[in-house]
Amino acid sequence: MKAPLPDGRVRIVPSLLAADFSALASSWAPLAAAGADWASVDVMDGHFVPNLSFGPDLVKAMKERSGAPLIDSHLMVSDPGAYAPVFAEAGSDWVSFHLEACPRPKPLIKKLKAMGCAVGVAIKPATPAAGLIRLLGDIDLALVMTVEPGFGGQTFIEGMLPKIRALREAIDARGRKVWLQIDGGVNARWVGPAAAAGGDSLVAGSAVFKAADPAAAWRALEAAGQEAFDKGWTRRPVAPRR
Ligand code: DX5
């Protein structure tokens, strides 16, 4: 499996949803030069969320012609069973789908892993952590939405911080190598709290691509995220192994 495992290094994952759609590869280039190696592709079907975005050919193009970043395809679609294998086939390193669209996810997780693709499961703000905690033995990435999925540029929902902490403690208690990805409204204000609560893969769209200097913004977010994660880590009471 090509997707890297969590290694204590916080990743700021630029979301292409906020990039210039007329120049995706050239928008990515300065971030790659700054050290970014992981991009998030938000896939929207106009049904699970009221927006339409990218198809699998974008993943293929980004993998082939833009320095081959790691790509996680975040499927905000009503039929992940149909589309997750398509995005795995297109070259995604992770494919994440929503628990709300796939209440019995294990067969799809198994199918994607058999294709050599790492698997994430995502939950919307209203969905409790329990459903994701039950899957920590099966997945490579747990995605906590900190905005209502569908659009970039929204404000981070502070009420999601306890859910992030609960997932971090569950991951640590099980000794699992599972990324805890946070997606939505991550910016200079919220990167610290999100990382201190335990997020180690922080998706940032507007805060990176709408900045005057996206590469500088990415570097600043990564430094702030790492500092907060490390501080939070030392203070975090790791639950006893079950
Ligand atoms: C929502 C999207 C956004 C995007 C990040 O469905 O998933 O969260 O990735 O956008 P910003 O960082 O602008 O909130």
Side-chain angles (χ1 to χ4, degrees):
M1 191 167 309
K2 46 190 182 297
L5 294 174
D7 54 7
R9 185 161 75 84
V10 168
R11 301 302 206 284
I12 300 296
V13 181
S15 163
L16 298 183
L17 190 71
D20 175 351
F21 284 14
S22 72
L24 285 173
S26 54
S27 300
W28 177 257
L31 297 174
D37 63 355
W38 178 352
S40 182
V41 172
D42 285 308
V43 179
M44 301 177 181
D45 66 356
H47 185 260
F48 184 76
V49 293
N51 197 358
L52 280 165
S53 61
F54 305 116
D57 288 350
L58 172 95
V59 172
K60 227 177 270 173
M62 284 302 287
K63 291 295 277 186
E64 284 161 11
R65 289 197 296 278
S66 63
L70 292 164
I71 298 263
D72 81 69
S73 293
H74 170 201
L75 305 191
M76 289 162 272
V77 303
S78 295
D79 187 358
Y83 291 105
V86 172
F87 278 85
E89 196 55 46
S92 304
D93 298 282
W94 297 264
V95 172
S96 297
F97 58 89
H98 272 262
L99 190 56
E100 299 90 355
C102 187
R104 279 175 298 288
K106 291 199 177 182
L108 181 54
I109 293 169
K110 200 158 165 256
K111 182 173 182 177
L112 292 169
K113 291 203 163 208
M115 295 174 73
C117 182
V119 185
V121 174
I123 51 174
K124 297 200 285 188
T127 303
L132 217 38
I133 290 174
R134 272 197 293 277
L135 295 170
L136 288 178
D138 304 285
I139 58 178
D140 305 288
L141 183 148
L143 200 175
V144 174
M145 291 303 295
T146 42
V147 296
E148 272 313 309
F151 297 90
Q154 301 178 72
T155 302
F156 185 97
I157 302 171
E158 185 172 3
M160 291 296 107
L161 290 173
K163 185 193 284 191
I164 297 169
R165 270 193 289 276
L167 273 155
R168 169 51 60 197
E169 280 165 17
I171 291 167
D172 292 356
R174 290 159 177 75
R176 293 287 303 146
K177 288 279 185 191
V178 175
W179 290 98
L180 182 47
Q181 188 172 72
I182 313 303
D183 177 3
V186 174
N187 58 17
R189 164 71 185 85
W190 290 108
V191 66
D200 57 355
S201 169
L202 307 172
V203 176
S206 314
V208 170
F209 285 110
K210 307 300 184 203
D213 180 342
W218 179 85
R219 271 194 293 265
L221 287 169
E222 191 168 67
Q226 190 67 58
E227 186 190 351
F229 183 79
D230 292 345
K231 272 203 200 116
W233 183 283
T234 45
R235 277 210 317 271
R236 189 179 299 116
V238 177
R241 287 183 65 80
R242 289 191 179 80

